[in-house]
Amino acid sequence: MALISSSILFYGGLVVAGIAAVTLAILFVIFLVKHTRLKKRLDEEYGKKEK
């Protein structure tokens, strides 16, 4: 019985880690797109940033 519950915890942890990794990738893409759109909009309204 202990082996079964240990396996459930192990594979459950792997599933949770996988879900977290997929969520991280999706959020990274969303923030990258939003950053690009915001930068483009700010460049249109205020001009390019001088370095």
Side-chain angles (χ1 to χ4, degrees):
M1 187 70 179
L3 182 62
I4 294 173
S5 62
S6 296
S7 296
I8 291 173
L9 284 173
F10 176 71
Y11 291 116
L14 286 179
V15 169
V16 170
I19 291 170
V22 169
T23 303
L24 177 68
I26 291 170
L27 289 176
F28 179 75
V29 170
I30 290 171
F31 289 135
L32 187 64
V33 169
K34 285 184 175 256
H35 171 74
T36 304
R37 287 182 183 172
L38 178 60
K39 186 174 180 184
K40 182 179 176 183
R41 184 173 176 188
L42 289 173
D43 285 344
E44 288 174 358
E45 290 183 13
Y46 298 107
K48 296 223 180 233
K49 184 177 179 181
E50 296 179 8
K51 292 186 179 181

